[in-house]
Amino acid sequence: MPGNYRGVHLTTILSKIAEKMISINLMPFLQHRAFGENQWAFTPTLSARDLVTTLVLSWILAVCAGKKVGTWLSDISGAFDRVFKPYLLAKLNGFGVGPLFLNFLDSYLSPRQGQVVVQGAFSDLFTIADSVFQGTVMGPMLWNSFFSDVAIPAKCAGGSEKMFADDLSVFQEFDRSTPVPECKAKLSQCESQVHKWGRQNRVSFDAAKEHTVILHPLEWHGEAFKLLGCMIDPDMRMRLAVE
């Protein structure tokens, strides 16, 4: 059942060298123009650990200032395999990527043939299209470029977005006295606009990984959630992470 598997591209060293040579000029340009201000993945000097640390410290500062933090977390299903090529090329063109690179990428992102092999048993060949190809050198930076404009709907209600690859988290500070339903209504407005972006860009968000939480030691609401591998208690005491 090849549909149960995600393709990882086992390319030759020569192919990887060619991708790296092309990326020498393209990668810095996309980092500067296409990734957005709050994408932490596939970016030199930044890591998931840095992002978790920064966020937890910002929550502590908010609580000390008499605030609580509303949080909406989401994740795209099969992200790298849900990149509609014409949309990606149009976005890259909008960022200022020139025709020489665009022509190359148009060919590079053409459909490929895949096959699943399990203990010597081969599936039928199938076509992999509209994907940025996991296991390739250029796949991550192309995903970041495709995903970056989700920041616009993410902060439509006044929150601040943070992204790590296909993980999107939106945080918004509220006065501690703000009723929970009012906080959730603001976050719901953000969620609705992000889902609209998803429909427009032909991607879907994994409902099982979406959470709406209010962070505060006393005024918390919601269940514990995993943020980039670290368990976060809504009362910010980090019991689950310590355990």
Tab-separated table of all heavy atoms in Angstrom, residues 115-163:
chain	number	residue	atom	x	y	z
A	115	GLN	N	8.482	4.217	-5.895
A	115	GLN	CA	8.145	2.816	-5.640
A	115	GLN	C	8.469	2.491	-4.192
A	115	GLN	O	9.464	2.980	-3.644
A	115	GLN	CB	8.954	1.904	-6.569
A	115	GLN	CG	8.468	0.472	-6.642
A	115	GLN	CD	9.174	-0.281	-7.767
A	115	GLN	OE1	10.357	-0.091	-8.004
A	115	GLN	NE2	8.438	-1.134	-8.459
A	116	VAL	N	7.616	1.719	-3.556
A	116	VAL	CA	7.856	1.284	-2.185
A	116	VAL	C	8.360	-0.155	-2.211
A	116	VAL	O	7.782	-1.001	-2.905
A	116	VAL	CB	6.566	1.387	-1.344
A	116	VAL	CG1	6.797	0.808	0.056
A	116	VAL	CG2	6.113	2.834	-1.243
A	117	VAL	N	9.437	-0.405	-1.458
A	117	VAL	CA	10.005	-1.754	-1.378
A	117	VAL	C	10.027	-2.162	0.088
A	117	VAL	O	10.607	-1.469	0.927
A	117	VAL	CB	11.435	-1.801	-1.955
A	117	VAL	CG1	11.966	-3.233	-1.930
A	117	VAL	CG2	11.461	-1.232	-3.356
A	118	VAL	N	9.369	-3.263	0.415
A	118	VAL	CA	9.346	-3.785	1.791
A	118	VAL	C	9.765	-5.248	1.755
A	118	VAL	O	9.054	-6.090	1.185
A	118	VAL	CB	7.940	-3.638	2.413
A	118	VAL	CG1	7.945	-4.209	3.834
A	118	VAL	CG2	7.498	-2.188	2.431
A	119	GLN	N	10.921	-5.532	2.332
A	119	GLN	CA	11.441	-6.911	2.415
A	119	GLN	C	11.397	-7.615	1.062
A	119	GLN	O	10.951	-8.759	0.933
A	119	GLN	CB	10.647	-7.708	3.465
A	119	GLN	CG	10.817	-7.168	4.874
A	119	GLN	CD	10.068	-7.989	5.910
A	119	GLN	OE1	9.302	-8.889	5.585
A	119	GLN	NE2	10.298	-7.681	7.182
A	120	GLY	N	11.844	-6.902	0.039
A	120	GLY	CA	11.938	-7.490	-1.293
A	120	GLY	C	10.673	-7.456	-2.116
A	120	GLY	O	10.684	-7.857	-3.278
A	121	ALA	N	9.567	-7.006	-1.519
A	121	ALA	CA	8.310	-6.895	-2.269
A	121	ALA	C	8.171	-5.478	-2.798
A	121	ALA	O	8.302	-4.514	-2.046
A	121	ALA	CB	7.130	-7.240	-1.369
A	122	PHE	N	7.892	-5.350	-4.100
A	122	PHE	CA	7.847	-4.054	-4.759
A	122	PHE	C	6.399	-3.645	-5.035
A	122	PHE	O	5.600	-4.457	-5.528
A	122	PHE	CB	8.595	-4.111	-6.100
A	122	PHE	CG	10.086	-4.226	-5.966
A	122	PHE	CD1	10.674	-5.418	-5.547
A	122	PHE	CD2	10.908	-3.148	-6.248
A	122	PHE	CE1	12.035	-5.538	-5.415
A	122	PHE	CE2	12.286	-3.258	-6.122
A	122	PHE	CZ	12.856	-4.452	-5.709
A	123	SER	N	6.070	-2.393	-4.730
A	123	SER	CA	4.765	-1.865	-5.135
A	123	SER	C	4.825	-1.500	-6.610
A	123	SER	O	5.902	-1.465	-7.227
A	123	SER	CB	4.420	-0.614	-4.319
A	123	SER	OG	5.190	0.497	-4.771
A	124	ASP	N	3.661	-1.223	-7.194
A	124	ASP	CA	3.639	-0.666	-8.543
A	124	ASP	C	4.261	0.727	-8.531
A	124	ASP	O	4.283	1.419	-7.506
A	124	ASP	CB	2.197	-0.562	-9.054
A	124	ASP	CG	1.548	-1.929	-9.232
A	124	ASP	OD1	2.299	-2.906	-9.459
A	124	ASP	OD2	0.306	-2.008	-9.137
A	125	LEU	N	4.769	1.139	-9.676
A	125	LEU	CA	5.278	2.510	-9.800
A	125	LEU	C	4.125	3.503	-9.646
A	125	LEU	O	2.995	3.235	-10.070
A	125	LEU	CB	5.938	2.710	-11.163
A	125	LEU	CG	7.313	2.057	-11.357
A	125	LEU	CD1	7.739	2.188	-12.813
A	125	LEU	CD2	8.349	2.712	-10.452
A	126	PHE	N	4.398	4.623	-9.007
A	126	PHE	CA	3.385	5.674	-8.886
A	126	PHE	C	4.058	7.023	-9.102
A	126	PHE	O	5.286	7.158	-8.985
A	126	PHE	CB	2.683	5.622	-7.529
A	126	PHE	CG	3.612	5.692	-6.344
A	126	PHE	CD1	3.942	6.905	-5.760
A	126	PHE	CD2	4.155	4.525	-5.807
A	126	PHE	CE1	4.792	6.966	-4.676
A	126	PHE	CE2	5.015	4.584	-4.723
A	126	PHE	CZ	5.332	5.797	-4.152
A	127	THR	N	3.271	8.017	-9.417
A	127	THR	CA	3.787	9.339	-9.738
A	127	THR	C	3.798	10.228	-8.493
A	127	THR	O	2.832	10.274	-7.741
A	127	THR	CB	2.937	10.004	-10.829
A	127	THR	OG1	2.986	9.188	-12.004
A	127	THR	CG2	3.458	11.391	-11.168
A	128	ILE	N	4.916	10.911	-8.280
A	128	ILE	CA	5.035	11.898	-7.202
A	128	ILE	C	5.081	13.276	-7.857
A	128	ILE	O	6.030	13.601	-8.570
A	128	ILE	CB	6.305	11.663	-6.373
A	128	ILE	CG1	6.312	10.250	-5.797
A	128	ILE	CG2	6.413	12.691	-5.255
A	128	ILE	CD1	7.611	9.872	-5.123
A	129	ALA	N	4.038	14.064	-7.625
A	129	ALA	CA	3.946	15.393	-8.235
A	129	ALA	C	3.522	16.404	-7.184
A	129	ALA	O	3.020	16.039	-6.116
A	129	ALA	CB	2.943	15.381	-9.396
A	130	ASP	N	3.728	17.685	-7.499
A	130	ASP	CA	3.378	18.766	-6.576
A	130	ASP	C	3.968	18.506	-5.196
A	130	ASP	O	3.289	18.483	-4.175
A	130	ASP	CB	1.856	18.938	-6.500
A	130	ASP	CG	1.290	19.468	-7.809
A	130	ASP	OD1	1.975	20.283	-8.457
A	130	ASP	OD2	0.185	19.057	-8.189
A	131	SER	N	5.277	18.305	-5.184
A	131	SER	CA	6.013	18.003	-3.967
A	131	SER	C	7.363	18.703	-4.036
A	131	SER	O	7.907	18.919	-5.127
A	131	SER	CB	6.206	16.484	-3.852
A	131	SER	OG	7.133	16.166	-2.840
A	132	VAL	N	7.908	19.066	-2.857
A	132	VAL	CA	9.257	19.629	-2.850
A	132	VAL	C	10.297	18.571	-2.487
A	132	VAL	O	11.446	18.898	-2.199
A	132	VAL	CB	9.364	20.848	-1.905
A	132	VAL	CG1	8.599	22.023	-2.462
A	132	VAL	CG2	8.907	20.520	-0.501
A	133	PHE	N	9.905	17.306	-2.507
A	133	PHE	CA	10.806	16.159	-2.464
A	133	PHE	C	11.675	16.112	-1.195
A	133	PHE	O	12.738	16.716	-1.126
A	133	PHE	CB	11.710	16.120	-3.706
A	133	PHE	CG	10.963	16.149	-5.012
A	133	PHE	CD1	11.301	17.048	-6.014
A	133	PHE	CD2	9.893	15.293	-5.231
A	133	PHE	CE1	10.609	17.079	-7.209
A	133	PHE	CE2	9.199	15.308	-6.433
A	133	PHE	CZ	9.553	16.214	-7.418
A	134	GLN	N	11.199	15.354	-0.231
A	134	GLN	CA	11.978	15.148	0.991
A	134	GLN	C	13.236	14.356	0.666
A	134	GLN	O	13.218	13.439	-0.147
A	134	GLN	CB	11.143	14.393	2.023
A	134	GLN	CG	10.061	15.237	2.644
A	134	GLN	CD	9.644	14.689	3.988
A	134	GLN	OE1	9.949	15.276	5.018
A	134	GLN	NE2	8.955	13.584	3.988
A	135	GLY	N	14.313	14.705	1.366
A	135	GLY	CA	15.584	14.044	1.143
A	135	GLY	C	16.458	14.747	0.131
A	135	GLY	O	17.579	14.311	-0.118
A	136	THR	N	15.966	15.828	-0.455
A	136	THR	CA	16.777	16.604	-1.391
A	136	THR	C	17.349	17.833	-0.692
A	136	THR	O	16.881	18.245	0.372
A	136	THR	CB	15.944	17.064	-2.597
A	136	THR	OG1	14.875	17.904	-2.137
A	136	THR	CG2	15.361	15.875	-3.342
A	137	VAL	N	18.360	18.421	-1.288
A	137	VAL	CA	19.015	19.595	-0.708
A	137	VAL	C	18.099	20.821	-0.758
A	137	VAL	O	18.031	21.603	0.189
A	137	VAL	CB	20.337	19.889	-1.443
A	137	VAL	CG1	20.955	21.199	-0.969
A	137	VAL	CG2	21.321	18.736	-1.249
A	138	MET	N	17.368	20.973	-1.855
A	138	MET	CA	16.603	22.199	-2.074
A	138	MET	C	15.181	22.135	-1.522
A	138	MET	O	14.508	23.170	-1.421
A	138	MET	CB	16.561	22.514	-3.576
A	138	MET	CG	17.934	22.677	-4.186
A	138	MET	SD	17.893	23.098	-5.944
A	138	MET	CE	17.302	24.772	-5.860
A	139	GLY	N	14.714	20.948	-1.143
A	139	GLY	CA	13.345	20.819	-0.665
A	139	GLY	C	12.992	21.723	0.501
A	139	GLY	O	11.973	22.426	0.467
A	140	PRO	N	13.807	21.766	1.579
A	140	PRO	CA	13.441	22.592	2.732
A	140	PRO	C	13.294	24.073	2.416
A	140	PRO	O	12.340	24.714	2.858
A	140	PRO	CB	14.598	22.337	3.712
A	140	PRO	CG	15.083	20.973	3.368
A	140	PRO	CD	14.963	20.892	1.871
A	141	MET	N	14.219	24.637	1.644
A	141	MET	CA	14.117	26.081	1.392
A	141	MET	C	12.945	26.396	0.467
A	141	MET	O	12.330	27.466	0.572
A	141	MET	CB	15.425	26.624	0.799
A	141	MET	CG	15.784	26.148	-0.585
A	141	MET	SD	17.310	26.965	-1.136
A	141	MET	CE	17.522	26.218	-2.747
A	142	LEU	N	12.575	25.459	-0.391
A	142	LEU	CA	11.407	25.687	-1.237
A	142	LEU	C	10.131	25.623	-0.401
A	142	LEU	O	9.190	26.394	-0.629
A	142	LEU	CB	11.370	24.662	-2.370
A	142	LEU	CG	12.498	24.773	-3.396
A	142	LEU	CD1	12.420	23.636	-4.409
A	142	LEU	CD2	12.456	26.120	-4.120
A	143	TRP	N	10.091	24.707	0.583
A	143	TRP	CA	8.924	24.666	1.462
A	143	TRP	C	8.778	25.966	2.241
A	143	TRP	O	7.695	26.525	2.346
A	143	TRP	CB	9.007	23.488	2.434
A	143	TRP	CG	7.989	23.657	3.516
A	143	TRP	CD1	8.193	24.073	4.793
A	143	TRP	CD2	6.570	23.505	3.363
A	143	TRP	NE1	6.997	24.181	5.455
A	143	TRP	CE2	5.987	23.840	4.606
A	143	TRP	CE3	5.739	23.118	2.300
A	143	TRP	CZ2	4.608	23.791	4.808
A	143	TRP	CZ3	4.367	23.071	2.511
A	143	TRP	CH2	3.815	23.406	3.747
A	144	ASN	N	9.873	26.451	2.833
A	144	ASN	CA	9.811	27.706	3.587
A	144	ASN	C	9.273	28.845	2.731
A	144	ASN	O	8.513	29.692	3.210
A	144	ASN	CB	11.193	28.071	4.115
A	144	ASN	CG	11.542	27.348	5.404
A	144	ASN	OD1	10.781	26.505	5.874
A	144	ASN	ND2	12.693	27.654	5.969
A	145	SER	N	9.663	28.873	1.471
A	145	SER	CA	9.205	29.934	0.572
A	145	SER	C	7.719	29.808	0.284
A	145	SER	O	6.994	30.807	0.222
A	145	SER	CB	10.000	29.883	-0.747
A	145	SER	OG	11.389	30.013	-0.504
A	146	PHE	N	7.257	28.570	0.124
A	146	PHE	CA	5.842	28.341	-0.153
A	146	PHE	C	4.970	28.692	1.045
A	146	PHE	O	3.867	29.229	0.904
A	146	PHE	CB	5.640	26.868	-0.533
A	146	PHE	CG	4.214	26.486	-0.835
A	146	PHE	CD1	3.649	26.778	-2.062
A	146	PHE	CD2	3.445	25.831	0.110
A	146	PHE	CE1	2.331	26.433	-2.342
A	146	PHE	CE2	2.129	25.477	-0.162
A	146	PHE	CZ	1.577	25.783	-1.395
A	147	PHE	N	5.456	28.408	2.257
A	147	PHE	CA	4.665	28.520	3.481
A	147	PHE	C	4.666	29.940	4.068
A	147	PHE	O	3.825	30.273	4.908
A	147	PHE	CB	5.227	27.538	4.514
A	147	PHE	CG	4.340	27.269	5.699
A	147	PHE	CD1	2.978	27.061	5.563
A	147	PHE	CD2	4.887	27.195	6.976
A	147	PHE	CE1	2.166	26.790	6.659
A	147	PHE	CE2	4.092	26.917	8.081
A	147	PHE	CZ	2.730	26.721	7.920
A	148	SER	N	5.590	30.780	3.651
A	148	SER	CA	5.848	32.032	4.363
A	148	SER	C	4.643	32.966	4.439
A	148	SER	O	4.426	33.634	5.450
A	148	SER	CB	7.026	32.773	3.729
A	148	SER	OG	6.733	33.132	2.385
A	149	ASP	N	3.824	33.027	3.381
A	149	ASP	CA	2.729	34.003	3.402
A	149	ASP	C	1.548	33.570	4.259
A	149	ASP	O	0.562	34.318	4.377
A	149	ASP	CB	2.270	34.355	1.981
A	149	ASP	CG	1.774	33.156	1.192
A	149	ASP	OD1	1.928	32.028	1.672
A	149	ASP	OD2	1.256	33.360	0.076
A	150	VAL	N	1.643	32.399	4.917
A	150	VAL	CA	0.619	32.042	5.906
A	150	VAL	C	0.683	33.006	7.091
A	150	VAL	O	-0.263	33.116	7.883
A	150	VAL	CB	0.796	30.581	6.380
A	150	VAL	CG1	1.951	30.470	7.374
A	150	VAL	CG2	-0.493	30.061	7.009
A	151	ALA	N	1.798	33.723	7.220
A	151	ALA	CA	1.944	34.692	8.309
A	151	ALA	C	0.882	35.785	8.243
A	151	ALA	O	0.475	36.324	9.276
A	151	ALA	CB	3.338	35.318	8.271
A	152	ILE	N	0.417	36.120	7.049
A	152	ILE	CA	-0.565	37.208	6.904
A	152	ILE	C	-1.882	36.865	7.592
A	152	ILE	O	-2.352	37.623	8.451
A	152	ILE	CB	-0.766	37.547	5.420
A	152	ILE	CG1	0.553	38.043	4.810
A	152	ILE	CG2	-1.866	38.596	5.241
A	152	ILE	CD1	0.516	38.217	3.301
A	153	PRO	N	-2.520	35.734	7.279
A	153	PRO	CA	-3.741	35.397	8.018
A	153	PRO	C	-3.469	35.026	9.474
A	153	PRO	O	-4.329	35.224	10.337
A	153	PRO	CB	-4.320	34.205	7.250
A	153	PRO	CG	-3.160	33.605	6.536
A	153	PRO	CD	-2.273	34.754	6.185
A	154	ALA	N	-2.276	34.499	9.768
A	154	ALA	CA	-1.980	34.057	11.135
A	154	ALA	C	-2.027	35.210	12.126
A	154	ALA	O	-2.432	35.036	13.274
A	154	ALA	CB	-0.618	33.372	11.191
A	155	LYS	N	-1.632	36.388	11.683
A	155	LYS	CA	-1.612	37.523	12.613
A	155	LYS	C	-2.740	38.518	12.353
A	155	LYS	O	-2.691	39.653	12.808
A	155	LYS	CB	-0.259	38.220	12.563
A	155	LYS	CG	0.208	38.675	11.194
A	155	LYS	CD	1.670	39.095	11.257
A	155	LYS	CE	2.220	39.447	9.886
A	155	LYS	NZ	3.688	39.628	9.902
A	156	CYS	N	-3.779	38.072	11.648
A	156	CYS	CA	-4.876	38.963	11.279
A	156	CYS	C	-5.638	39.491	12.485
A	156	CYS	O	-6.218	40.577	12.430
A	156	CYS	CB	-5.838	38.268	10.313
A	156	CYS	SG	-6.786	36.915	11.068
A	157	ALA	N	-5.649	38.713	13.594
A	157	ALA	CA	-6.420	39.135	14.767
A	157	ALA	C	-5.545	39.799	15.823
A	157	ALA	O	-5.993	40.027	16.938
A	157	ALA	CB	-7.141	37.938	15.374
A	158	GLY	N	-4.294	40.081	15.470
A	158	GLY	CA	-3.411	40.783	16.391
A	158	GLY	C	-2.376	39.922	17.073
A	158	GLY	O	-1.612	40.424	17.899
A	159	GLY	N	-2.320	38.634	16.747
A	159	GLY	CA	-1.332	37.751	17.354
A	159	GLY	C	0.001	37.811	16.630
A	159	GLY	O	0.190	38.550	15.666
A	160	SER	N	0.928	36.997	17.110
A	160	SER	CA	2.262	36.905	16.517
A	160	SER	C	2.532	35.455	16.165
A	160	SER	O	2.362	34.568	17.006
A	160	SER	CB	3.314	37.419	17.499
A	160	SER	OG	4.621	37.210	17.002
A	161	GLU	N	2.937	35.203	14.929
A	161	GLU	CA	3.143	33.828	14.471
A	161	GLU	C	4.597	33.403	14.650
A	161	GLU	O	5.507	34.229	14.575
A	161	GLU	CB	2.728	33.702	13.003
A	161	GLU	CG	3.793	34.039	11.977
A	161	GLU	CD	4.129	35.524	11.892
A	161	GLU	OE1	3.439	36.336	12.525
A	161	GLU	OE2	5.097	35.877	11.173
A	162	LYS	N	4.777	32.111	14.890
A	162	LYS	CA	6.097	31.492	14.883
A	162	LYS	C	5.973	30.197	14.091
A	162	LYS	O	5.044	29.413	14.298
A	162	LYS	CB	6.584	31.188	16.304
A	162	LYS	CG	6.887	32.437	17.137
A	162	LYS	CD	8.119	33.148	16.635
A	162	LYS	CE	8.491	34.318	17.544
A	162	LYS	NZ	7.527	35.444	17.428
A	163	MET	N	6.926	29.969	13.184
A	163	MET	CA	6.873	28.791	12.324
A	163	MET	C	8.151	27.975	12.467
A	163	MET	O	9.242	28.540	12.604
A	163	MET	CB	6.688	29.216	10.869
A	163	MET	CG	5.361	29.907	10.589
A	163	MET	SD	5.191	30.451	8.861
A	163	MET	CE	6.158	31.953	8.887
